[in-house]
Amino acid sequence: MMTDIIKVKAYALIRRAGEVLLEPITTAEGDVIGYRALGGEVEFGELAGDAIKREFIEELGEDIIVGDLFCTSEDVYEYNGHPGHEAAFIYEAEFVNKDLYDQDKIVRVDTLHNIPVHAAWIDPQKIPDNLPLWPEDFARDIRKK
């Protein structure tokens, strides 16, 4: 599956004390190969902040407040044997429902594959099994700030 489309993504940086809400990135076989913040694709005509709000409502059934732009990132990569290229906007955000900060894991529905994904609060300095945090620019910036 060769594609020449650059995807535009938007992610939410949601913090709890020294942790951030991250979800695993898996191979087609289900092996965890890294972590990322929650979010998704920006649709044509949609602003990145609006895309994040839409994704959280669609996939978690929860509303968020989108804050300031934390960073931007551009990444060329290979995923499951296919090349990819994405430009991403990562925004500070917070849950409207404050009870979510008391949960160790938060489940969202991957609407593309119709499967649950378990996000967790993780210290960005201590990613499990020393796996990467993506996108790379976000990983660099979150560890500095």
Side-chain angles (χ1 to χ4, degrees), residues 15 18-20 22 122-127 133 139 142-143:
R15 301 173 192 260
E19 301 169 317
V20 294
L22 301 173
I122 298 172
D123 180 336
Q125 307 294 342
K126 301 174 185 172
I127 302 292
L133 175 59
I142 192 69
R143 290 181 173 124

Side-chain angles (χ1 to χ4, degrees), residues 86-105:
E86 80 176 32
F89 298 87
I90 298 101
Y91 282 88
E92 297 274 1
E94 62 183 73
F95 284 114
V96 170
N97 178 358
K98 302 302 182 203
D99 292 338
L100 294 170
Y101 292 98
D102 295 328
Q103 296 181 17
D104 290 332
K105 293 195 182 276

Side-chain angles (χ1 to χ4, degrees), residues 4-130:
D4 59 357
I5 296 172
I6 299 172
K7 294 181 180 181
V8 178
K9 301 277 187 99
Y11 299 108
L13 171 56
I14 301 179
R15 301 173 192 260
R16 179 181 84 172
E19 301 169 317
V20 294
L21 187 61
L22 301 173
E23 66 180 11
I25 300 170
T26 59
T27 63
E29 294 77 31
D31 297 321
V32 176
I33 58 171
Y35 291 86
R36 72 174 181 99
L38 282 68
E41 283 195 45
V42 178
E43 296 177 355
F44 183 80
E46 182 178 46
L47 297 175
D50 295 336
I52 299 167
K53 288 180 71 69
R54 175 185 49 76
E55 288 284 340
F56 271 74
I57 290 170
E58 287 176 358
E59 297 185 354
L60 280 89
E62 296 290 343
D63 197 7
I64 61 172
I65 299 166
V66 177
D68 293 334
L69 181 66
F70 176 76
C71 71
T72 59
S73 177
E74 183 177 22
D75 201 12
V76 177
Y77 58 91
E78 185 173 306
Y79 177 67
N80 284 333
H82 302 289
H85 187 174
E86 80 176 32
F89 298 87
I90 298 101
Y91 282 88
E92 297 274 1
E94 62 183 73
F95 284 114
V96 170
N97 178 358
K98 302 302 182 203
D99 292 338
L100 294 170
Y101 292 98
D102 295 328
Q103 296 181 17
D104 290 332
K105 293 195 182 276
I106 296 174
V107 180
R108 77 167 182 88
V109 176
D110 176 339
T111 54
L112 182 62
H113 302 101
N114 199 29
I115 58 171
V117 177
H118 299 267
W121 300 101
I122 298 172
D123 180 336
Q125 307 294 342
K126 301 174 185 172
I127 302 292
D129 300 319
N130 292 318

